[in-house]
Amino acid sequence: MPELRSGVRRGRAAVGQKDSEPPAPARRNVKTRAAAAAAAGAKGRPRTKAAAAAAKKKPVIATSEAKAKEVKEKVLRVMGDDSGGLSANKGAAPEDNTPPFPERVQVGGSPMYKVDRKLGKGGFGQVFVGRRERATGPGAQEVALKFEHRNSKGCNYGPPYEWQVYNILGGSHGIPRVHYKGRQGEYYIMVMDMLGPSLWDVWNSSSQAMSAEMVSCIAVESLSILEKMHSKGYVHGDVKPENFLLGQPATAQEKKLFLVDLGLATKWRDTSSGLHVDYDQRPDMFRGTVRYASVHAHLGRTASRRDDLESLAYTLIFLHKGRLPWQGYQGDTKSFLVCKKKMGTSPEMLCCFCPAPFRQFLEVVVNMKFDEEPNYSKLISLFNGILDPNPALRPINTDGAQKVGQKRGRLNMEEEDDSQPKKKVRLGVPATQWISVYNARLPMKQRYHYNVADARLAQHVERGIADGLLISCVSSCSNLWALIMDAGTGFTNQVYKLSPFFLHKEWIMEQWDKNYYITSIAGGNNGTSLVVMSKGTQYTQQSYKVSDSFPFKWINKKWKEGFHVTSMATAGSRWGVVMSRNAGFSDQVVELDFLYPSEGIHRRWDGGYRITATAATLDQSALILSIPRRKPGDETQETLRTSQFPSTHVKEKWSKNLYLACLCYGRTVC
């Protein structure tokens, strides 16, 4: 018989992103049906090392923090930048033991360049001044030389990915030209246009605050650059002050704006079909710089045009005000805390003391849908009232914006063409609600109880069992229980446990030995839990984890092992997730947000997914959506969000043969 494993196994960390799960005490336990049968046929015989240890009166305990720290994980360090922000998913700079940079460079048929002073260090390499040999005169034939070591993360499969992007975008409006590229020794090298200071440098030299006119010029020209990039099917993915550079001083381009560092650029449009890429969410994947990244980037959603515009909004506000309210967070939970702060800060609050166009711009971009096409002309027109009417007197060249403006109808933001007003997010007024999910079923008997105290739970359960009902779902609000019982569970027997622990490991393992499997869990804010275990399920193996943060890495790892999420709950800020083998699903995804993820749910529904588990804390909501192996006759599913338990709504749904499938209480509005 194979030995059962105990303890915590963590998923591999995403490239460039620190493990989002702090090394807090975590529990993971596995039990198989085969092992249970063997144990039933050989009483008194230890079936695992854990059982043998228990026979020697050594207590079974949950994995400790020290034990969890012993688990080996491969985590790449997050790159820091001059602004104090963090850039993730970027290749590391060459280590000290890598070969030195060459003194002279000649690649791809280029002239010979002498490597001069260092200009800067980015997430994908280092940049030096290159001076063409035998050239005369001050600044003659100066270029920028970008070095990336062949062993850096960006060069896993040969030349840097950034080269591909520059092949398509290089030389277009606001993108510097790449003159030559190639490999010399241990380094991949690009020979590029020599540019001037970054907006970060200009901001630093301007008492760390820029005038409204200067920032408005940056806004309109940045929008024209992004519009051109987006028209070619790419999003930048790391819009921030450090990646906007002016032309060389004392040249005709000194007032021209450029966007650099295309290492995180991705396609928003499929090259072959011309259609928008599909929506997805991977909460363990973060790309960008924490300070300026969009909320959707923090949450691991597929990048689209809206993300560049949200990052641009934060960039503009930072340049004008000199600070963003989420600066200063440190530690492993920095990205989580920054994202939470962004979601909880309304545009009115963030843009206080800024001219009105800043708030209007932010309101538009944070309310954009995943595949929505930005109205660049309309966004540019917002800032017209701040700009000098004579383009020649503006501090930044806005030629690109003027070209975009030739095709725009100068509309006020209050004027919507034919569309209905959008429902705004990020109101700055958080709210918690019940989230209830209803599935179409053949007519059956269902009963609900809510605001149930511990002492009254047993009588409700016993009365339901007497009427032929079993528990299908449990939840909690304000340390009181909600209980759903119906006649359609398919279970043959059931037990439950109220415990001061979240979750009670010893009791769960005892029930596993009796061939019961977890079918529903709930947790109270005070750390208590209610666990329901049933016989007659289709599960063949089960595992659960308790974590201080949503354990997506573990979930993703278990997916690869053939498990699917079958129950979820929270206790305070802690998450409990149960995963089972033979759960009846062919695929499964997660929607995680700091509010009810309405857009993501509707997109998943369109893809054939249905909600099969929910849980929420006072900060976040998580929904598991699955594709069943056996397609139901009626796939109708509806959700409701209500401040009170939806007793009235449940009865209305019953009249339509829609029955409560799962529910939770937690954050739905920011």
Side-chain angles (χ1 to χ4, degrees):
M1 181 185 300
E3 179 181 323
L4 299 183
R5 298 173 294 173
S6 64
V8 172
R9 293 279 310 277
R10 297 200 176 199
R12 185 182 302 274
V15 177
Q17 170 74 358
K18 289 187 178 179
D19 193 345
S20 63
E21 300 173 31
R27 306 187 181 106
R28 171 192 176 273
N29 307 282
V30 178
K31 178 256 192 185
T32 65
R33 188 186 295 275
K43 292 184 179 179
R45 178 184 173 185
R47 62 183 181 85
T48 66
K49 289 184 178 180
K56 296 179 182 179
K57 297 184 180 181
K58 292 183 180 180
V60 179
I61 60 174
T63 306
S64 67
E65 181 174 352
K67 180 75 174 178
K69 287 183 177 178
E70 292 176 6
V71 181
K72 294 183 179 180
E73 302 176 71
K74 292 184 179 179
V75 179
L76 296 179
R77 292 191 177 276
V78 178
M79 295 286 295
D81 58 46
D82 294 337
S83 68
L86 292 177
S87 295
N89 282 14
K90 292 193 173 183
E95 300 291 339
D96 293 339
N97 58 356
T98 57
F101 294 103
E103 294 183 358
R104 287 175 172 77
V105 165
Q106 187 174 28
V107 292
S110 74
M112 183 70 71
Y113 293 98
K114 182 180 180 181
V115 180
D116 206 331
R117 67 187 184 279
K118 183 176 178 179
L119 288 174
K121 176 181 176 181
F124 285 91
Q126 301 191 44
V127 183
F128 290 80
V129 172
R131 186 182 295 271
R132 184 171 178 177
E133 292 197 335
R134 293 184 296 276
T136 59
Q141 296 296 318
E142 282 191 345
V143 294
L145 302 174
K146 186 165 185 178
F147 292 83
E148 189 165 356
H149 192 267
R150 65 180 182 84
N151 291 333
S152 72
K153 197 64 183 177
C155 302
N156 277 346
Y157 307 102
Y161 164 76
E162 190 176 18
W163 286 15
Q164 303 174 33
V165 184
Y166 270 112
N167 285 342
I168 297 172
L169 300 180
S172 62
H173 175 65
I175 305 297
R177 289 177 299 168
V178 175
H179 301 283
Y180 306 98
K181 56 183 181 295
R183 179 173 166 182
Q184 181 173 317
E186 298 292 294
Y187 290 96
Y188 288 103
I189 304 169
M190 280 197 298
V191 181
M192 309 173 66
D193 285 336
M194 183 70 175
L195 299 176
S198 70
L199 292 184
W200 169 263
D201 298 322
V202 177
W203 174 82
N204 257 327
S205 62
S206 304
S207 302
Q208 298 189 340
M210 289 183 179
S211 68
E213 182 184 8
M214 177 71 169
V215 178
S216 295
C217 287
I218 293 169
V220 298
E221 189 62 11
S222 299
L223 283 166
S224 70
I225 295 172
L226 290 174
E227 191 271 341
K228 190 65 176 179
M229 175 181 285
H230 294 170
S231 71
K232 295 196 175 186
Y234 279 88
V235 292
H236 185 273
D238 197 18
V239 173
K240 58 181 179 179
E242 295 87 339
N243 284 341
F244 282 109
L245 274 61
L246 295 174
Q248 277 189 284
T251 70
Q253 292 191 327
E254 67 176 346
K255 292 169 61 176
K256 188 173 181 180
L257 195 63
F258 294 88
L259 182 58
V260 301
D261 199 351
L262 306 183
L264 290 181
T266 56
K267 291 182 179 180
W268 68 264
R269 184 173 59 204
D270 183 80
T271 305
S272 56
S273 68
L275 301 176
H276 201 290
V277 297
D278 291 334
Y279 169 88
D280 197 11
Q281 183 180 17
R282 290 287 307 272
D284 62 334
M285 293 295 293
F286 171 74
R287 297 172 68 86
T289 300
V290 171
R291 182 181 297 177
Y292 305 102
S294 72
V295 164
H296 304 292
H298 280 284
L299 293 169
R301 294 194 174 110
T302 306
S304 66
R305 292 167 288 185
R306 65 180 179 181
D307 299 299
D308 278 352
L309 299 184
E310 185 175 338
S311 292
L312 177 60
Y314 298 145
T315 295
L316 300 175
I317 295 166
F318 172 81
L319 292 174
H320 183 54
K321 295 181 66 174
R323 186 170 179 82
L324 294 167
W326 42 83
Q327 290 178 229
Y329 290 113
Q330 300 295 332
D332 292 339
T333 59
K334 175 177 179 175
S335 183
F336 170 84
L337 295 172
V338 169
C339 186
K340 178 181 174 182
K341 185 69 173 178
K342 287 176 181 176
M343 289 294 290
T345 306
S346 67
E348 291 81 3
M349 182 177 296
L350 184 57
C351 297
C352 64
F353 308 118
C354 290
F358 288 71
R359 174 186 56 79
Q360 294 170 337
F361 177 70
L362 181 62
E363 283 181 344
V364 171
V365 299
V366 300
N367 284 284
M368 288 182 64
K369 300 299 183 183
F370 168 69
D371 56 1
E372 183 176 345
E373 181 178 2
N375 190 332
Y376 304 96
S377 302
K378 196 171 185 179
L379 295 172
I380 287 172
S381 69
L382 281 174
F383 298 92
N384 282 345
I386 305 177
L387 301 181
D388 192 297
N390 184 354
L393 300 179
R394 296 173 184 172
I396 298 289
N397 188 323
T398 56
D399 287 347
Q402 290 169 23
K403 292 177 183 177
V404 174
Q406 292 173 2
K407 59 183 179 182
R408 69 174 177 251
R410 301 174 182 274
L411 302 174
N412 294 323
M413 290 312 297
E414 290 77 10
E415 299 176 7
E416 294 293 337
D417 302 334
D418 296 322
S419 59
Q420 296 294 323
K422 291 183 179 179
K423 186 175 182 180
K424 294 182 179 180
V425 299
R426 307 189 205 178
L427 302 176
V429 184
T432 51
Q433 294 176 300
W434 284 97
I435 300 174
S436 51
V437 182
Y438 305 84
N439 287 344
R441 300 281 298 271
L442 292 175
M444 68 174 184
K445 188 174 183 179
Q446 187 174 70
R447 184 180 297 167
Y448 63 83
H449 304 279
Y450 63 96
N451 291 345
V452 179
D454 292 357
R456 294 182 61 84
L457 184 63
Q459 69 182 67
H460 290 307
V461 174
E462 290 168 5
R463 188 180 303 164
I465 292 175
D467 293 338
L469 308 178
L470 290 175
I471 300 169
S472 60
C473 178
V474 291
S475 187
S476 177
C477 173
S478 302
N479 298 320
L480 296 173
W481 307 106
L483 186 69
I484 309 300
M485 303 187 71
D486 61 57
T489 63
F491 305 143
T492 58
N493 201 2
Q494 202 166 64
V495 293
Y496 69 91
K497 177 72 172 179
L498 275 173
S499 171
F501 310 109
F502 185 75
L503 300 162
H504 194 160
K505 174 183 176 180
E506 287 75 16
W507 181 81
I508 291 173
M509 294 184 73
E510 288 175 7
Q511 303 311 312
W512 276 344
D513 289 340
K514 299 175 184 177
N515 216 26
Y516 286 89
Y517 286 86
I518 301 170
T519 52
S520 189
I521 57 175
N525 292 335
N526 57 4
T528 59
S529 67
L530 171 59
V531 179
V532 180
M533 301 185 71
S534 309
K535 284 186 177 180
T537 71
Q538 58 190 346
Y539 309 145
T540 55
Q541 191 177 3
Q542 203 164 64
S543 180
Y544 75 87
K545 182 179 179 68
V546 174
S547 175
D548 286 342
S549 61
F550 186 78
F552 182 79
K553 291 182 179 66
W554 178 77
I555 291 173
N556 190 48
K557 170 180 171 292
K558 301 302 288 184
W559 279 341
K560 296 174 182 177
E561 297 174 4
F563 288 78
H564 290 95
V565 177
T566 49
S567 299
M568 286 197 308
T570 62
S573 61
R574 305 182 75 198
W575 295 83
V577 179
V578 181
M579 300 189 72
S580 309
R581 271 202 172 115
N582 195 32
F585 304 132
S586 61
D587 195 21
Q588 199 169 67
V589 294
V590 169
E591 282 296 321
L592 177 69
D593 209 328
F594 288 84
L595 45 69
Y596 177 76
S598 179
E599 182 188 6
I601 290 172
H602 281 82
R603 290 188 178 277
R604 302 298 195 182
W605 277 345
D606 292 342
Y609 292 86
R610 293 297 178 266
I611 300 169
T612 53
T614 62
T617 67
L618 295 180
D619 290 326
Q620 289 183 299
S621 296
L623 294 95
I624 302 295
L625 295 98
S626 312
I627 294 181
R629 292 190 182 278
R630 293 183 179 180
K631 191 173 182 179
D634 188 343
E635 294 182 287
T636 303
Q637 185 173 74
E638 296 180 5
T639 63
L640 282 177
R641 286 167 285 159
T642 53
S643 299
Q644 304 296 323
F645 187 87
S647 52
T648 304
H649 302 283
V650 171
K651 295 174 182 177
E652 293 174 356
K653 299 295 184 184
W654 284 347
S655 66
K656 303 175 183 177
N657 287 334
L658 292 170
Y659 295 90
L660 261 174
C662 51
L663 76 163
C664 67
Y665 183 83
R667 172 62 64 86
T668 58
V669 179
C670 277

